[in-house]
Amino acid sequence: QDQSLPVVGSPDRGQPRLCWTLGHRFWFGELSFHHVAPPQTFVFGFCTPESCRETKEVDAQVAKPFLRRLFASSDGSDWCRLELKEWSRTAVTVTQAGLLLPFILASLIYETQTSPGQAARSFPCSLRLLATIALVVYHMASFPIYRKPGLPKGFAEFCTWFCGILHDPLFTALSVSLLLRGGPADWTWQCLTSRLLRKWLRLAPVGVASRLLLCSALRRIPTIPFLLKVQPRIDDRLCATEGLRCTHHTCTPLWGVADFLLAFPPLDFAGNYVEQDMLRSALLTFLACSLLGDRWLLKSMGLLILMICLWYLARSLPACVVHGRVHGPCVPSPLTHLDLPGDNVVALAVLLWHASRHYFPQVPNVFSMLTFAAAVAMEVTGSASEAVSLLWYLCSRVLLGVAVAQLCEGRDDRDALRSAVRQTVDRLCYGVCIVHVRVMEIIFGYLRPGLPDFSWDLFMMDVLAVLLGSFILATVVQLPSTLCQEIIHALRDWRSNS
């Protein structure tokens, strides 16, 4: 029966605001088919009179007759299930919720100023914010939030190639640069493992909070389950304690040992990057400490692991690089959670630069920014000739990694307030990357379910609305992480004073 449903290019869930204006009630109906693979779900909107207040009444008087006409059967279908939820008008708008943002940011800035952390560096914060905005714009261009034809063709291609390609390698370069900063002089077991532990402490509470938010708090709101349409679906199987979180090449049991070591990655697309970043950081920590250590056994093991990693990486490049770019995860590594080639060329370039940084003079930041722009341009345009495709890819990734590593060595921001603001935004970027897709679903499926025509001013307002809502929700999600860091700082101060 699902094949007989009308096929539309973009979602159309009715006109709830018109229904409310006429004094009626608006109901969502989620029609699910479980006998097909994969299971398919369709959402319908029903405008009913004010007197229709009970779910059973709407199901008997409206939904069942609709299904009888749709499938020409007495009860719709034995293979489908229809779930009804009323959509009330008591919704908090993005503008109203945005009034809380100044107070939330003020509290976080105060916490940042009182925390004994390092001063924020301008370039890493700016680059992370750039990557976050690129990720948000890329996903906004991927969703059908405007009436056809949607975004202009040239701008859509720009969002796909520039914004879609930029964020992952940039996040990887920043992560590795901040982990290995200081060069070989700081590559000790105590230093790098403490940095890795601090990374885990920043990521794990946010991952747990996002899971609880999606699988508990949001699912209790009547209309939210209809909006969680981004794959993988946040359904009961995925949110179950014994469930699995599957990425490109492997599945990890939820709340298990591997899930714990990977810092409880989020359940949607962001979890793939988090697990790869944690695994890559742990591998680089072991390689850097073992190769520079005094014990010959660890040094031999580190050298052997490095050669194996380079061999697998080199073997994956000819099969995965097309026109100077890599599309998708390509092939799995022996560690299964790590994609090849992925962003490992960027990480390797950052590692080599930090290992040999004392042999090269410090270049001006302008030169590093131009190198970064050239690397991004090479990545976006690709190679027209397959003869130099592999060399083009390697050059673009190496230039990107080296440029970001040089920019991360810039001076600290001396202005206290400006440094606090940058560090606050920098902390919230990870939460924005996790929650922005759900914010988009709420804004464009709940607050504005219609499909307007595209315009540049509307698109800019939509981007600002998504960013604003994402920063607000990210603040809520990252509160456990901030609390954990404050507890650790208090224990460290108590230990030093005693």
Side-chain angles (χ1 to χ4, degrees):
Q1 278 88 357
D2 64 296
Q3 300 297 327
S4 64
L5 292 173
V7 179
V8 295
S10 56
D12 186 4
R13 299 167 180 168
Q15 299 182 12
R17 302 193 188 282
L18 176 60
C19 183
W20 294 331
T21 304
L22 297 176
H24 303 318
R25 292 178 177 270
F26 193 85
W27 294 73
F28 268 140
E30 185 181 44
L31 184 63
S32 302
F33 293 90
H34 300 282
H35 67 292
V36 294
Q40 298 190 29
T41 302
F42 302 89
V43 177
F44 300 95
F46 299 99
C47 186
T48 63
E50 176 66 22
S51 57
C52 296
R53 300 173 179 270
E54 299 294 333
T55 304
K56 293 182 179 180
E57 182 182 6
V58 176
D59 182 59
Q61 302 296 328
V62 180
K64 289 296 177 61
F66 172 78
L67 292 180
R68 282 196 294 267
R69 291 181 58 87
L70 191 62
F71 298 119
S73 62
S74 59
D75 59 348
S77 173
D78 295 334
W79 296 96
C80 68
R81 178 176 61 88
L82 182 66
E83 182 181 1
L84 290 170
K85 295 289 178 64
E86 184 182 5
W87 182 4
S88 61
R89 302 184 65 175
T90 57
V92 179
T93 64
V94 178
T95 305
Q96 294 171 341
L99 297 177
L100 300 175
L101 186 62
F103 302 98
I104 296 174
L105 289 178
S107 62
L108 283 177
I109 291 173
Y110 174 77
E111 182 273 329
T112 304
Q113 287 181 310
T114 55
S115 298
Q118 295 181 348
R121 296 182 176 180
S122 58
F123 282 108
C125 298
S126 301
L127 290 175
R128 186 174 281 111
L129 182 61
L130 173 63
T132 303
I133 295 176
L135 180 62
V136 172
V137 174
Y138 168 70
H139 283 142
M140 288 190 63
S142 304
F143 276 68
I145 60 177
Y146 301 106
R147 187 178 289 113
K148 285 189 174 182
L151 275 67
K153 183 178 180 181
F155 182 65
E157 293 178 353
F158 169 82
C159 293
T160 300
W161 291 113
F162 178 79
C163 299
I165 289 175
L166 179 63
H167 52 83
D168 274 358
L170 186 51
F171 280 133
T172 300
L174 286 170
S175 175
V176 178
S177 297
L178 297 177
L179 176 68
L180 302 177
R181 65 183 183 274
D186 293 338
W187 292 358
T188 62
W189 287 103
Q190 181 180 1
C191 182
L192 292 188
T193 52
S194 63
R195 292 177 182 176
L196 185 63
L197 179 60
R198 285 198 298 268
K199 176 191 286 286
W200 188 92
L201 289 173
R202 287 194 301 268
L203 298 181
V206 180
V208 174
S210 66
R211 293 184 183 185
L212 295 178
L213 183 68
L214 289 176
C215 295
S216 178
L218 285 184
R219 290 185 63 80
R220 284 197 293 265
I221 301 176
T223 57
I224 291 298
F226 298 128
L227 307 175
L228 303 181
K229 299 299 180 184
V230 177
Q231 297 297 328
R233 178 78 181 274
I234 307 299
D235 55 13
D236 295 330
R237 293 172 301 162
L238 187 60
C239 293
T241 306
E242 64 277 5
L244 296 174
R245 182 185 52 82
C246 297
T247 52
H248 294 133
H249 303 301
T250 186
C251 292
T252 305
L254 294 180
W255 313 109
V257 177
D259 197 35
F260 171 81
L261 295 176
L262 294 173
F264 303 109
L267 297 176
D268 52 8
F269 71 97
N272 181 44
Y273 176 80
V274 171
E275 68 176 13
Q276 294 200 54
D277 182 53
M278 284 299 301
L279 189 59
R280 187 187 298 113
S281 299
L283 181 61
L284 290 175
T285 298
F286 177 79
L287 290 177
C289 295
S290 60
L291 292 177
L292 296 179
D294 298 331
R295 299 183 179 182
W296 66 270
L297 181 60
L298 286 178
K299 187 175 293 187
S300 302
M301 290 179 57
L303 183 61
L304 178 61
I305 293 176
L306 178 61
M307 298 302 296
I308 293 176
C309 293
L310 291 177
W311 183 77
Y312 273 100
L313 180 61
R315 193 179 69 168
S316 67
L317 289 176
C320 298
V321 177
V322 179
H323 298 297
R325 290 191 293 253
V326 173
H327 301 276
C330 202
V331 297
S333 69
L335 299 175
T336 64
H337 289 89
L338 202 60
D339 295 334
L340 289 178
D343 301 313
N344 298 298
V345 176
V346 176
L348 184 61
V350 175
L351 173 65
L352 295 177
W353 184 88
H354 278 285
S356 58
R357 53 176 296 195
H358 297 294
Y359 299 101
F360 300 97
Q362 182 67 27
V363 298
N365 290 331
V366 176
F367 180 79
S368 301
M369 295 174 64
L370 292 176
T371 305
F372 173 77
V376 174
M378 292 179 64
E379 187 77 21
V380 172
T381 57
S383 173
S385 174
E386 283 298 323
V388 295
S389 176
L390 183 58
L391 180 61
W392 187 279
Y393 172 78
L394 291 176
C395 288
S396 64
R397 291 303 174 104
V398 170
L399 289 176
L400 178 64
V402 172
V404 173
Q406 290 176 341
L407 291 174
C408 287
E409 293 297 318
R411 297 179 300 175
D412 295 340
D413 197 337
R414 301 302 179 184
D415 185 83
L417 179 60
R418 191 167 54 207
S419 176
V421 172
R422 281 175 174 162
Q423 192 169 353
T424 301
V425 174
D426 187 64
R427 287 187 179 186
L428 292 177
C429 282
Y430 172 56
V432 172
C433 293
I434 293 178
V435 304
H436 74 275
V437 173
R438 307 305 172 186
V439 172
M440 288 173 54
E441 291 180 315
I442 293 174
I443 292 177
F444 303 119
Y446 185 80
L447 300 179
R448 197 188 73 190
L451 295 177
D453 294 324
F454 173 82
S455 63
W456 288 106
D457 55 345
L458 180 60
F459 180 78
M460 293 301 299
M461 293 300 297
D462 289 343
V463 171
L464 292 177
V466 172
L467 288 174
L468 179 63
S470 301
F471 273 107
I472 293 174
L473 187 56
T475 304
V476 177
V477 172
Q478 293 191 234
L479 284 179
S481 175
T482 304
L483 181 60
C484 291
Q485 293 181 30
E486 285 301 314
I487 294 175
I488 293 173
H489 292 158
L491 292 176
R492 185 172 60 183
D493 293 341
W494 173 79
R495 182 180 178 183
S496 60
N497 293 333
S498 60

